[in-house]
Amino acid sequence: MSAHCYTSISMKNTRLPRWLGPVSKEIPVVKTKCGLSKSCPDNFFAFKISSGAANVVGPSICFEDHVIISPVKDNVGRGLNIALVNGVTGAVLRQDSFDMYSGDPSLLVKFLREIPADVLVLVASYDDPGTKMNDEIRKLFSNLGSSYAKQLGFRDSWVFLGARDMDNKSPFEQFLKNDPGKNKYDGWPELLELEGCVPRKVI
């Protein structure tokens, strides 16, 4: 009884400053997959790809609320970080990184050639994605729907989602050229972030 009286008295005697205005009802926070700005419709997969920041903060790739690659998971590498996802089920098939500054580009060629149909390819750059880039790699990425692989160069920022034998260029791509006069960081352009909803492949 005393607790009830205390509560009632406390509520009655509490006055809010006028500048706070009327107390508004709580707005429920809707959690979206991968922290997207809005939820994806049915039969669409949610994804978010962030490139690395200079050579300090690594990239991240999230798909359907599953963080595939991130600095926290300690599975990022200099160059190109790539995740392969089943376009029908959304299952993660493979993830790897390829050193494009001093690594062997033939490893990336082999990786890209072996990508089967109905697989989504998610790519995030880190530090330098372009030094070891050659015509064959550029062509393979172009065949996945990239519009910018042909001009990717030293320390550029790039994020991309595509698939093999796309009829048109992928709408999911961002690219920022390494420009000493415009770079946000000393020697590198700013990081890029790409998020969206990609349609599920229906067989």
Side-chain angles (χ1 to χ4, degrees):
M1 185 72 173
S2 58
H4 172 74
C5 291
Y6 175 78
T7 305
S8 299
I9 292 168
S10 296
M11 289 174 68
K12 286 177 181 176
N13 292 340
T14 301
R15 294 182 180 179
L16 296 173
R18 289 186 179 181
W19 55 267
L20 279 178
V23 178
S24 60
K25 292 181 179 179
E26 277 191 31
I27 301 171
V29 177
V30 179
K31 187 181 183 304
T32 59
K33 293 177 180 178
C34 294
L36 265 61
S37 54
K38 62 179 181 179
S39 297
C40 293
D42 291 342
N43 288 319
F44 280 76
F45 294 123
F47 73 90
K48 181 181 283 187
I49 307 171
S50 299
S51 70
N55 62 345
V56 180
V57 180
S60 63
I61 296 177
C62 177
F63 191 88
E64 280 293 281
D65 228 18
H66 172 57
V67 178
I68 305 170
I69 295 171
S70 78
V72 174
K73 294 176 77 75
D74 196 26
N75 62 349
V76 303
R78 176 174 66 178
L80 293 175
N81 292 263
I82 305 176
L84 302 183
V85 177
N86 186 304
V88 179
T89 66
V92 178
L93 303 175
R94 186 178 173 187
Q95 66 86 20
D96 212 334
S97 62
F98 299 89
D99 187 341
M100 299 302 288
Y101 180 74
S102 59
D104 181 358
S106 67
L107 298 175
L108 178 56
V109 170
K110 183 176 185 296
F111 180 89
L112 295 175
R113 280 180 175 170
E114 293 175 352
I115 294 174
D118 301 326
V119 168
L120 298 173
V121 184
L122 295 82
V123 185
S125 66
Y126 180 36
D127 186 6
D128 175 25
T131 296
K132 290 284 187 173
M133 187 70 63
N134 58 39
D135 290 343
E136 187 171 10
I137 295 172
R138 294 181 197 280
K139 184 177 180 181
L140 288 166
F141 274 122
S142 295
N143 289 341
L144 294 172
S146 172
S147 299
Y148 294 105
K150 292 177 181 177
Q151 54 183 297
L152 194 64
F154 177 65
R155 287 185 177 176
D156 292 344
S157 287
W158 184 45
V159 285
F160 167 68
L161 183 150
R164 203 183 77 186
D165 301 325
M166 290 189 70
D167 294 333
N168 301 301
K169 291 300 181 183
S170 170
F172 305 115
E173 185 173 27
Q174 287 187 25
F175 170 77
L176 198 57
K177 197 72 183 167
N178 170 21
D179 184 341
K182 298 179 181 178
N183 285 344
K184 181 174 182 178
Y185 311 112
D186 184 20
W188 289 267
E190 65 181 309
L191 68 86
L192 294 174
E193 192 170 84
L194 177 68
E195 67 171 49
C197 305
V198 61
R200 183 189 298 266
K201 179 82 172 180
V202 179
I203 298 177

